Amino acid sequence: MSTPDHSADTGSIDEQSLRHASGPYFGAYGGRWMPESLMAAMDELNETFEAAKNDPEFIAQVKDLNKNYSGRPSLLTEAKRFSAQYCDGVRIFLKREDLNHTGSHKINNVLGQALLAKRMGKTRIIAETGAGQHGVASATAAALMGLECVVYMGAEDTRRQALNVARMRLLGATVIPVTVGSQTLKDAINEALRDWVANVENTHYLLGTAAGGAPFPAMVRYFHEVIGEEAREQILEQTGRLPNAVTACIGGGSNAIGIFHGFLDDKDVALYGFEAGGDGVDTDRHAATITLGRPGVLHGAKSYLMQDEDGQTIESHSISAGLDYPGVGPEHAFLADIGRVTYEPVTDTEAMDAFKALCRTEGILPAIESSHALAGTIRLAKKLVAEGAVPEETIIIVNLSGRGDKDVGTAAAWFDMIEPGAADAEITGTDAQKAQEK
Amino acid sequence: MTRVTSAQKIAAARAEGRPALIGYLPAGFPDVPTSIEAAVALAENGVDIIEIGIPYSDPVMDGEVIQAATVQALANGFRVADVFDIVAGITARTDAAVMVMTYWNPVLRMGVDEFSRRFAQAGGSGLITPDLVPEEAGEWLEASEKYDLERVFLIAPSSTPERVQRTVDVSSGFIYCVSLMGVTGARASVSSAAQAVVDAAHAAGAENACVGLGVSRREHVEEIGAYADGVIVGTALVAALRDGGVQAVGALAAELSGAAAHSDKELA
């Protein structure tokens, strides 16, 4: 693989640029497949967002919060021991979103959207959450900005993630367990949408991923673009060149679209998204939406979707609650179709092996979501070397989207590290039980 | 086959000096044969237009009663193609107009043209589409023209005048006026916002504007009937079917349509 040209100017806006796609459509995907009752709110949000993007005061507010509240820029750390032991010597750089306040990339989006909510005069935000990361981030932003916050969470998840439920409540949020439908993340989104329809006058729906009806996909991406912009600058500074590849995990796809964005127009930088393969894509327990899904509409956008022959949504499965979603952001569907990004599944087992590998080689405890990106990166590095790439001249940036403190219980159960007789509750408030069942 | 349309039924009701009564029931709840019997009971007790809902995994516009019913229908093995048998079963036995209310993904999955063709063949008059707005409805506009189906879009209290106009312009049959900002479910009283929505639809040129959401009693029907062209009842009928079976559905329909009062008088 040749060294990419780093002189490419990503600042220019030309018709071929993929960086400035604003929606509502991304190729055949995106749009607004949602009830008329919400259209006025979507229009208001769109207008507010478009105006804010061009308002120096808003831009300054976001920058200030990123720097002085979240702790940006996040580091770009070279993982030398991980590289030597697991990646055949290919140089691996970790974009350290795990070091942000609240422990993941999620904070970028919630701060931006909470600012928009205030600009619209809304006093209440609602959010959905699976594992609780977006819920915690939303509760954090609400506390910071003096907004009322209600978080919808599948009833089963509230039991598995008791610690995060407590975190949200400590931050002043109301957590509502969702007992309808399959009681999972998608039902939490359904219930949040029902709340929004009824309370849209004073409420902003703070969607946590780059999915949903327009303008959500482009807006959520906008607030995460800082990841890719920083990473591009940092890799040039540290190595003097662009990477050969950039990798990220994909659930709804917000961390991935954020880091990809910085490199979309660098044609020689390969982009990889790793989906949750669960027990394997040859089983019916996975969340590999792009790999095996079909185009459809869910939660406001047309995109790839895990659905049966009748168009009913299929429940997804992943050890990672953050990737356990049967849909995916529409811009990813588009980038998959045009071949700009390669999407591949990573199984629970591969992800957990990579989780442990990073812990042991770098002293960094990654989120299980991010561990999917690490596992895919190991596979990619080996493949590149097998194809003749010179390891020390090959660079991959991995978006380490979050830290794994929330996953300690799950991992301890997975690796059978729980002391006999230890009470579940002491270990967790996490997915331990789920991991033990496997 | 001559299909009965919702527009015809609303015109006939208007000629009688009353609003059309539109009754909703989910397809396949509690099972396919019973859902046909329940719909027939609606028609026999004064319901003009029958609205059959397709159970869907993610019904964001529905409240708990309808959610629970559709979850049960799916658990009992309902398949989307069953809706054509249900529509055909009802049209064969009644002169009601039969519409289908469906979230859009099941239609997309089958193919908009294929769904429309089979639905028209079964004798259905049109589709009510709660999560499809005119901007995304290109394929449906085409298929509905091709198979001569009515397109019922929704407008809400939050709809801007521009959106009301755009929606009225592409609708046929009637406009579904959402009476309040919320999801389906019985409420004690009719939202005061309902009349404004109906007025907006009429001002935009809609001939038929019908009100749904939160309507459950005869007094609601009378109140709404004073300004709207039709009244849509859903949750109350679903709860009746759940609790009392087909007979209870027929009894509630008779009460809603005023047929029960008439027959009392006749007896007296």
Side-chain angles (χ1 to χ4, degrees):
Chain A
M1 183 177 267
S2 65
T3 302
D5 173 15
H6 64 265
S7 62
D9 175 17
T10 58
S12 68
I13 300 175
D14 62 74
E15 284 177 18
Q16 299 303 308
S17 174
L18 292 170
R19 293 190 68 207
H20 303 281
S22 59
Y25 300 100
F26 304 92
Y29 305 103
R32 274 187 191 169
W33 305 80
M34 54 203 309
E36 169 65 25
S37 296
L38 292 172
M39 286 298 142
M42 299 296 278
D43 281 338
E44 181 191 18
L45 179 60
N46 192 49
E47 283 160 25
T48 306
F49 169 57
E50 290 299 327
K53 272 198 305 188
N54 296 308
D55 179 351
E57 192 191 325
F58 181 80
I59 294 167
Q61 274 180 314
V62 171
K63 271 193 179 152
D64 175 63
L65 284 169
N66 279 346
K67 184 179 175 196
N68 298 313
Y69 188 72
S70 303
R72 303 204 71 91
S74 67
L75 301 178
L76 186 73
T77 304
E78 182 161 14
K80 291 182 180 165
R81 277 173 34 84
F82 180 73
S83 154
Q85 288 189 35
Y86 291 96
C87 300
D88 289 356
V90 168
R91 295 181 73 185
I92 306 295
F93 289 77
L94 308 174
K95 181 58 179 162
R96 301 292 304 282
E97 292 298 296
D98 60 313
L99 297 178
N100 297 339
H101 178 47
T102 73
S104 78
H105 71 290
K106 293 286 186 193
I107 193 75
N108 305 328
N109 171 50
V110 297
L111 291 174
Q113 282 198 49
L115 282 175
L116 289 178
K118 294 206 57 134
R119 282 172 88 94
M120 290 185 287
K122 311 271 180 176
T123 56
R124 179 175 180 266
I125 58 171
I126 54 174
E128 80 294 340
T129 199
Q133 294 302 286
H134 175 59
V136 168
S138 298
T140 300
L144 177 68
M145 299 191 199
L147 296 162
E148 183 189 348
C149 180
V150 174
V151 180
Y152 289 92
M153 189 171 186
E156 208 182 314
D157 291 333
T158 62
R159 286 187 291 272
R160 293 201 301 235
Q161 302 281 343
L163 193 64
N164 270 341
V165 172
R167 284 174 81 188
M168 288 183 262
R169 287 181 176 150
L170 286 169
L171 290 161
T174 303
V175 180
I176 301 183
V178 175
T179 55
V180 297
S182 57
Q183 307 191 15
T184 61
L185 176 60
K186 81 173 178 68
D187 300 282
I189 295 177
N190 293 341
E191 203 62 7
L193 285 168
R194 292 181 188 115
D195 177 317
W196 202 26
V197 170
N199 300 294
V200 68
E201 205 151 308
N202 71 344
T203 299
H204 172 62
Y205 181 11
L206 209 167
L207 185 68
T209 193
F216 279 107
M219 183 177 70
V220 174
R221 183 197 71 203
Y222 173 83
F223 291 123
H224 286 306
E225 283 171 7
V226 64
I227 307 172
E229 284 162 7
E230 285 177 7
R232 192 173 188 281
E233 206 170 291
Q234 289 166 321
I235 199 73
L236 288 175
E237 192 186 307
Q238 292 184 31
T239 70
R241 46 163 287 207
L242 288 174
N244 298 76
V246 175
T247 67
C249 63
I250 308 270
S254 67
N255 88 83
I257 204 70
I259 195 162
F260 290 168
H261 181 268
F263 302 92
L264 273 178
D265 287 345
D266 297 314
K267 294 192 173 59
D268 294 327
V269 178
L271 303 174
Y272 286 85
F274 295 105
E275 302 192 293
D279 291 349
V281 291
D282 52 345
T283 74
D284 60 3
R285 290 175 56 84
H286 60 80
T289 308
I290 296 179
T291 307
L292 288 178
R294 297 177 52 107
V297 295
L298 178 68
H299 297 147
K302 184 182 268 191
S303 186
Y304 281 96
L305 176 64
M306 288 174 58
Q307 54 180 320
D308 69 13
E309 289 175 4
D310 275 2
Q312 311 285 358
T313 309
I314 296 173
E315 271 185 66
S316 55
H317 290 278
S318 169
I319 189 168
S320 151
L323 304 183
D324 199 348
Y325 180 60
V328 67
E331 194 167 2
H332 286 295
F334 170 64
L335 292 171
D337 279 9
I338 64 169
R340 178 64 187 93
V341 181
T342 304
Y343 297 87
E344 293 175 358
V346 162
T347 64
D348 288 353
T349 302
E350 290 176 289
M352 293 311 293
D353 288 348
F355 176 99
K356 196 169 171 184
L358 196 73
C359 288
R360 300 290 168 92
T361 55
E362 301 292 338
I364 295 171
L365 206 152
I368 297 178
E369 289 79 10
S370 320
S371 301
H372 285 71
L374 291 166
T377 299
I378 292 171
R379 210 159 66 193
L380 175 62
K382 288 179 190 293
K383 177 173 157 260
L384 293 178
V385 171
E387 287 169 0
V390 180
E392 57 273 22
E393 290 175 11
T394 305
I395 296 174
I396 302 176
I397 299 179
V398 186
N399 198 16
L400 200 71
S401 56
R403 68 180 181 220
D405 300 49
K406 69 185 175 60
D407 298 318
V408 167
T410 308
W414 180 273
F415 294 114
D416 202 16
M417 291 171 177
I418 297 173
E419 201 64 25
D424 267 3
E426 284 177 22
I427 299 285
T428 61
T430 69
D431 270 343
Q433 197 185 340
K434 188 178 173 187
Q436 278 171 328
E437 282 164 7
K438 300 190 79 145
Chain B
M1 184 193 333
T2 315
R3 276 179 286 141
V4 180
T5 66
S6 70
Q8 288 166 348
K9 298 300 286 192
I10 293 169
R14 185 181 291 125
E16 291 173 18
R18 61 177 181 86
L21 182 60
I22 301 161
Y24 166 96
L25 289 171
F29 173 71
D31 52 50
V32 169
T34 310
S35 63
I36 296 174
E37 292 304 321
V40 169
L42 291 182
E44 287 173 348
N45 287 282
V47 171
D48 304 289
I49 298 164
I50 291 163
E51 176 189 347
I52 296 295
I54 295 183
Y56 173 55
S57 52
D58 297 274
V60 296
M61 279 297 285
D62 284 310
E64 284 177 26
V65 172
I66 291 177
Q67 282 181 48
T70 54
V71 163
Q72 192 186 326
L74 289 170
N76 290 350
F78 172 81
R79 296 296 306 267
V80 169
D82 293 338
V83 82
F84 306 124
D85 296 335
I86 293 171
V87 170
I90 301 165
T91 53
R93 289 170 57 187
T94 77
D95 68 348
V98 182
M99 311 203 72
V100 157
M101 193 293 295
T102 182
Y103 293 92
W104 202 240
N105 199 53
V107 178
L108 269 185
R109 183 66 181 86
M110 181 176 289
V112 178
D113 187 270
E114 167 81 355
F115 186 98
S116 301
R117 185 184 62 76
R118 294 174 69 177
F119 176 63
Q121 204 168 38
S125 76
L127 298 183
I128 300 167
T129 52
D131 64 351
L132 185 70
V133 290
E135 293 94 314
E136 306 291 1
E139 258 189 297
W140 165 229
L141 298 185
E142 208 172 295
S144 54
E145 290 298 325
K146 184 170 165 188
Y147 298 105
D148 195 20
L149 294 169
E150 293 178 318
R151 297 183 292 263
V152 176
F153 290 98
L154 285 68
I155 57 173
S158 59
S159 300
T160 59
E162 297 74 32
R163 292 200 59 84
V164 169
Q165 188 65 58
R166 184 186 309 180
T167 307
V168 165
D169 287 346
V170 298
S171 294
S172 56
F174 63 93
I175 283 271
Y176 192 125
C177 299
V178 173
S179 69
L180 51 83
M181 295 301 289
V183 298
T184 59
R187 271 96 171 165
S189 61
V190 175
S191 162
S192 56
Q195 186 167 357
V197 181
V198 170
D199 289 347
H202 284 150
E207 192 176 349
N208 300 325
C210 302
V211 173
L213 256 63
V215 183
S216 60
R217 300 177 189 166
R218 174 64 193 168
E219 68 203 63
H220 299 161
V221 174
E222 287 171 356
E223 183 189 337
I224 294 167
Y227 56 82
D229 308 290
V231 185
I232 306 162
V233 181
T235 296
L237 291 167
V238 179
L241 180 57
R242 176 195 67 198
D243 298 337
V246 172
Q247 202 182 354
V249 169
L252 178 58
E255 187 190 319
L256 290 166
S257 66
H262 286 301
S263 50
D264 284 352
K265 275 178 210 157
E266 280 161 26
L267 285 173

PDB file of all heavy atoms in Angstrom, chain A residues 32-50:
ATOM      1  N   ARG A  32     -37.275  12.195   5.745  1.00  0.00           N
ATOM      2  CA  ARG A  32     -38.089  12.364   6.957  1.00  0.00           C
ATOM      3  C   ARG A  32     -39.298  11.455   6.882  1.00  0.00           C
ATOM      4  O   ARG A  32     -40.354  11.850   6.387  1.00  0.00           O
ATOM      5  CB  ARG A  32     -38.580  13.797   7.064  1.00  0.00           C
ATOM      6  CG  ARG A  32     -37.631  14.737   7.718  1.00  0.00           C
ATOM      7  CD  ARG A  32     -38.333  16.056   7.903  1.00  0.00           C
ATOM      8  NE  ARG A  32     -37.400  17.080   8.296  1.00  0.00           N
ATOM      9  CZ  ARG A  32     -37.700  18.376   8.319  1.00  0.00           C
ATOM     10  NH1 ARG A  32     -38.900  18.780   7.944  1.00  0.00           N
ATOM     11  NH2 ARG A  32     -36.814  19.254   8.686  1.00  0.00           N
ATOM     12  N   TRP A  33     -39.146  10.250   7.365  1.00  0.00           N
ATOM     13  CA  TRP A  33     -40.249   9.283   7.347  1.00  0.00           C
ATOM     14  C   TRP A  33     -40.847   9.261   8.734  1.00  0.00           C
ATOM     15  O   TRP A  33     -40.598   8.350   9.515  1.00  0.00           O
ATOM     16  CB  TRP A  33     -39.708   7.923   6.911  1.00  0.00           C
ATOM     17  CG  TRP A  33     -38.994   7.969   5.598  1.00  0.00           C
ATOM     18  CD1 TRP A  33     -37.709   8.386   5.363  1.00  0.00           C
ATOM     19  CD2 TRP A  33     -39.529   7.615   4.311  1.00  0.00           C
ATOM     20  NE1 TRP A  33     -37.428   8.303   4.019  1.00  0.00           N
ATOM     21  CE2 TRP A  33     -38.509   7.833   3.352  1.00  0.00           C
ATOM     22  CE3 TRP A  33     -40.778   7.126   3.888  1.00  0.00           C
ATOM     23  CZ2 TRP A  33     -38.709   7.585   1.986  1.00  0.00           C
ATOM     24  CZ3 TRP A  33     -40.958   6.876   2.536  1.00  0.00           C
ATOM     25  CH2 TRP A  33     -39.931   7.098   1.600  1.00  0.00           C
ATOM     26  N   MET A  34     -41.602  10.292   9.040  1.00  0.00           N
ATOM     27  CA  MET A  34     -42.139  10.395  10.390  1.00  0.00           C
ATOM     28  C   MET A  34     -43.464  11.139  10.408  1.00  0.00           C
ATOM     29  O   MET A  34     -43.863  11.723   9.404  1.00  0.00           O
ATOM     30  CB  MET A  34     -41.102  11.019  11.313  1.00  0.00           C
ATOM     31  CG  MET A  34     -40.555  12.340  10.867  1.00  0.00           C
ATOM     32  SD  MET A  34     -38.915  12.678  11.596  1.00  0.00           S
ATOM     33  CE  MET A  34     -39.230  12.395  13.321  1.00  0.00           C
ATOM     34  N   PRO A  35     -44.158  11.099  11.562  1.00  0.00           N
ATOM     35  CA  PRO A  35     -45.501  11.681  11.610  1.00  0.00           C
ATOM     36  C   PRO A  35     -45.518  13.182  11.347  1.00  0.00           C
ATOM     37  O   PRO A  35     -44.611  13.911  11.746  1.00  0.00           O
ATOM     38  CB  PRO A  35     -45.960  11.392  13.045  1.00  0.00           C
ATOM     39  CG  PRO A  35     -45.153  10.228  13.485  1.00  0.00           C
ATOM     40  CD  PRO A  35     -43.828  10.380  12.810  1.00  0.00           C
ATOM     41  N   GLU A  36     -46.597  13.601  10.696  1.00  0.00           N
ATOM     42  CA  GLU A  36     -46.816  15.019  10.416  1.00  0.00           C
ATOM     43  C   GLU A  36     -46.750  15.866  11.686  1.00  0.00           C
ATOM     44  O   GLU A  36     -46.258  17.002  11.666  1.00  0.00           O
ATOM     45  CB  GLU A  36     -48.186  15.184   9.729  1.00  0.00           C
ATOM     46  CG  GLU A  36     -48.685  16.610   9.592  1.00  0.00           C
ATOM     47  CD  GLU A  36     -47.827  17.479   8.677  1.00  0.00           C
ATOM     48  OE1 GLU A  36     -47.147  16.927   7.793  1.00  0.00           O
ATOM     49  OE2 GLU A  36     -47.838  18.710   8.870  1.00  0.00           O
ATOM     50  N   SER A  37     -47.228  15.311  12.796  1.00  0.00           N
ATOM     51  CA  SER A  37     -47.247  16.067  14.054  1.00  0.00           C
ATOM     52  C   SER A  37     -45.872  16.625  14.417  1.00  0.00           C
ATOM     53  O   SER A  37     -45.771  17.642  15.095  1.00  0.00           O
ATOM     54  CB  SER A  37     -47.738  15.180  15.205  1.00  0.00           C
ATOM     55  OG  SER A  37     -49.078  14.802  14.985  1.00  0.00           O
ATOM     56  N   LEU A  38     -44.798  15.937  13.981  1.00  0.00           N
ATOM     57  CA  LEU A  38     -43.452  16.353  14.361  1.00  0.00           C
ATOM     58  C   LEU A  38     -42.774  17.247  13.326  1.00  0.00           C
ATOM     59  O   LEU A  38     -41.670  17.744  13.554  1.00  0.00           O
ATOM     60  CB  LEU A  38     -42.582  15.117  14.611  1.00  0.00           C
ATOM     61  CG  LEU A  38     -42.964  14.306  15.841  1.00  0.00           C
ATOM     62  CD1 LEU A  38     -42.177  13.004  15.895  1.00  0.00           C
ATOM     63  CD2 LEU A  38     -42.730  15.121  17.107  1.00  0.00           C
ATOM     64  N   MET A  39     -43.443  17.445  12.184  1.00  0.00           N
ATOM     65  CA  MET A  39     -42.775  18.163  11.094  1.00  0.00           C
ATOM     66  C   MET A  39     -42.433  19.607  11.466  1.00  0.00           C
ATOM     67  O   MET A  39     -41.364  20.101  11.119  1.00  0.00           O
ATOM     68  CB  MET A  39     -43.654  18.147   9.842  1.00  0.00           C
ATOM     69  CG  MET A  39     -43.668  16.815   9.156  1.00  0.00           C
ATOM     70  SD  MET A  39     -42.021  16.340   8.561  1.00  0.00           S
ATOM     71  CE  MET A  39     -42.086  14.619   8.916  1.00  0.00           C
ATOM     72  N   ALA A  40     -43.322  20.270  12.173  1.00  0.00           N
ATOM     73  CA  ALA A  40     -43.045  21.662  12.538  1.00  0.00           C
ATOM     74  C   ALA A  40     -41.815  21.733  13.441  1.00  0.00           C
ATOM     75  O   ALA A  40     -40.967  22.618  13.284  1.00  0.00           O
ATOM     76  CB  ALA A  40     -44.263  22.280  13.225  1.00  0.00           C
ATOM     77  N   ALA A  41     -41.700  20.781  14.364  1.00  0.00           N
ATOM     78  CA  ALA A  41     -40.546  20.763  15.262  1.00  0.00           C
ATOM     79  C   ALA A  41     -39.262  20.458  14.498  1.00  0.00           C
ATOM     80  O   ALA A  41     -38.205  21.026  14.786  1.00  0.00           O
ATOM     81  CB  ALA A  41     -40.762  19.738  16.366  1.00  0.00           C
ATOM     82  N   MET A  42     -39.362  19.566  13.512  1.00  0.00           N
ATOM     83  CA  MET A  42     -38.180  19.237  12.717  1.00  0.00           C
ATOM     84  C   MET A  42     -37.739  20.445  11.889  1.00  0.00           C
ATOM     85  O   MET A  42     -36.543  20.704  11.728  1.00  0.00           O
ATOM     86  CB  MET A  42     -38.472  18.049  11.793  1.00  0.00           C
ATOM     87  CG  MET A  42     -38.844  16.771  12.515  1.00  0.00           C
ATOM     88  SD  MET A  42     -37.526  16.091  13.539  1.00  0.00           S
ATOM     89  CE  MET A  42     -36.584  15.214  12.307  1.00  0.00           C
ATOM     90  N   ASP A  43     -38.720  21.175  11.371  1.00  0.00           N
ATOM     91  CA  ASP A  43     -38.390  22.389  10.617  1.00  0.00           C
ATOM     92  C   ASP A  43     -37.742  23.431  11.526  1.00  0.00           C
ATOM     93  O   ASP A  43     -36.759  24.072  11.150  1.00  0.00           O
ATOM     94  CB  ASP A  43     -39.660  22.984   9.982  1.00  0.00           C
ATOM     95  CG  ASP A  43     -40.065  22.237   8.717  1.00  0.00           C
ATOM     96  OD1 ASP A  43     -39.195  21.571   8.111  1.00  0.00           O
ATOM     97  OD2 ASP A  43     -41.249  22.312   8.339  1.00  0.00           O
ATOM     98  N   GLU A  44     -38.310  23.585  12.720  1.00  0.00           N
ATOM     99  CA  GLU A  44     -37.756  24.556  13.657  1.00  0.00           C
ATOM    100  C   GLU A  44     -36.315  24.189  14.027  1.00  0.00           C
ATOM    101  O   GLU A  44     -35.421  25.041  14.054  1.00  0.00           O
ATOM    102  CB  GLU A  44     -38.626  24.596  14.939  1.00  0.00           C
ATOM    103  CG  GLU A  44     -38.138  25.609  15.971  1.00  0.00           C
ATOM    104  CD  GLU A  44     -38.831  25.453  17.320  1.00  0.00           C
ATOM    105  OE1 GLU A  44     -39.414  24.387  17.579  1.00  0.00           O
ATOM    106  OE2 GLU A  44     -38.771  26.408  18.118  1.00  0.00           O
ATOM    107  N   LEU A  45     -36.110  22.900  14.277  1.00  0.00           N
ATOM    108  CA  LEU A  45     -34.769  22.429  14.634  1.00  0.00           C
ATOM    109  C   LEU A  45     -33.799  22.684  13.487  1.00  0.00           C
ATOM    110  O   LEU A  45     -32.674  23.152  13.685  1.00  0.00           O
ATOM    111  CB  LEU A  45     -34.830  20.927  14.964  1.00  0.00           C
ATOM    112  CG  LEU A  45     -33.510  20.253  15.327  1.00  0.00           C
ATOM    113  CD1 LEU A  45     -32.876  20.900  16.548  1.00  0.00           C
ATOM    114  CD2 LEU A  45     -33.736  18.760  15.582  1.00  0.00           C
ATOM    115  N   ASN A  46     -34.246  22.382  12.283  1.00  0.00           N
ATOM    116  CA  ASN A  46     -33.392  22.572  11.114  1.00  0.00           C
ATOM    117  C   ASN A  46     -33.002  24.038  10.944  1.00  0.00           C
ATOM    118  O   ASN A  46     -31.830  24.367  10.732  1.00  0.00           O
ATOM    119  CB  ASN A  46     -34.120  22.059   9.872  1.00  0.00           C
ATOM    120  CG  ASN A  46     -33.193  21.942   8.682  1.00  0.00           C
ATOM    121  OD1 ASN A  46     -32.112  21.378   8.800  1.00  0.00           O
ATOM    122  ND2 ASN A  46     -33.595  22.509   7.557  1.00  0.00           N
ATOM    123  N   GLU A  47     -33.988  24.903  11.068  1.00  0.00           N
ATOM    124  CA  GLU A  47     -33.701  26.342  10.906  1.00  0.00           C
ATOM    125  C   GLU A  47     -32.750  26.834  11.998  1.00  0.00           C
ATOM    126  O   GLU A  47     -31.817  27.591  11.738  1.00  0.00           O
ATOM    127  CB  GLU A  47     -35.010  27.144  10.961  1.00  0.00           C
ATOM    128  CG  GLU A  47     -35.811  27.076   9.674  1.00  0.00           C
ATOM    129  CD  GLU A  47     -37.282  27.437   9.891  1.00  0.00           C
ATOM    130  OE1 GLU A  47     -37.583  28.175  10.855  1.00  0.00           O
ATOM    131  OE2 GLU A  47     -38.124  26.967   9.092  1.00  0.00           O
ATOM    132  N   THR A  48     -32.999  26.376  13.228  1.00  0.00           N
ATOM    133  CA  THR A  48     -32.148  26.797  14.349  1.00  0.00           C
ATOM    134  C   THR A  48     -30.726  26.310  14.159  1.00  0.00           C
ATOM    135  O   THR A  48     -29.762  27.045  14.377  1.00  0.00           O
ATOM    136  CB  THR A  48     -32.719  26.243  15.675  1.00  0.00           C
ATOM    137  OG1 THR A  48     -34.080  26.637  15.784  1.00  0.00           O
ATOM    138  CG2 THR A  48     -31.947  26.758  16.868  1.00  0.00           C
ATOM    139  N   PHE A  49     -30.601  25.071  13.711  1.00  0.00           N
ATOM    140  CA  PHE A  49     -29.276  24.482  13.500  1.00  0.00           C
ATOM    141  C   PHE A  49     -28.535  25.201  12.376  1.00  0.00           C
ATOM    142  O   PHE A  49     -27.358  25.563  12.513  1.00  0.00           O
ATOM    143  CB  PHE A  49     -29.427  22.983  13.199  1.00  0.00           C
ATOM    144  CG  PHE A  49     -28.172  22.328  12.708  1.00  0.00           C
ATOM    145  CD1 PHE A  49     -27.007  22.365  13.459  1.00  0.00           C
ATOM    146  CD2 PHE A  49     -28.162  21.663  11.488  1.00  0.00           C
ATOM    147  CE1 PHE A  49     -25.846  21.755  13.001  1.00  0.00           C
ATOM    148  CE2 PHE A  49     -27.011  21.051  11.022  1.00  0.00           C
ATOM    149  CZ  PHE A  49     -25.847  21.099  11.778  1.00  0.00           C
ATOM    150  N   GLU A  50     -29.241  25.443  11.267  1.00  0.00           N
ATOM    151  CA  GLU A  50     -28.582  26.108  10.132  1.00  0.00           C
ATOM    152  C   GLU A  50     -28.118  27.506  10.523  1.00  0.00           C
ATOM    153  O   GLU A  50     -27.023  27.941  10.132  1.00  0.00           O
ATOM    154  CB  GLU A  50     -29.536  26.171   8.932  1.00  0.00           C
ATOM    155  CG  GLU A  50     -29.806  24.807   8.272  1.00  0.00           C
ATOM    156  CD  GLU A  50     -28.533  24.146   7.722  1.00  0.00           C
ATOM    157  OE1 GLU A  50     -27.630  24.876   7.265  1.00  0.00           O
ATOM    158  OE2 GLU A  50     -28.449  22.894   7.776  1.00  0.00           O
TER     159      GLU A  50
END
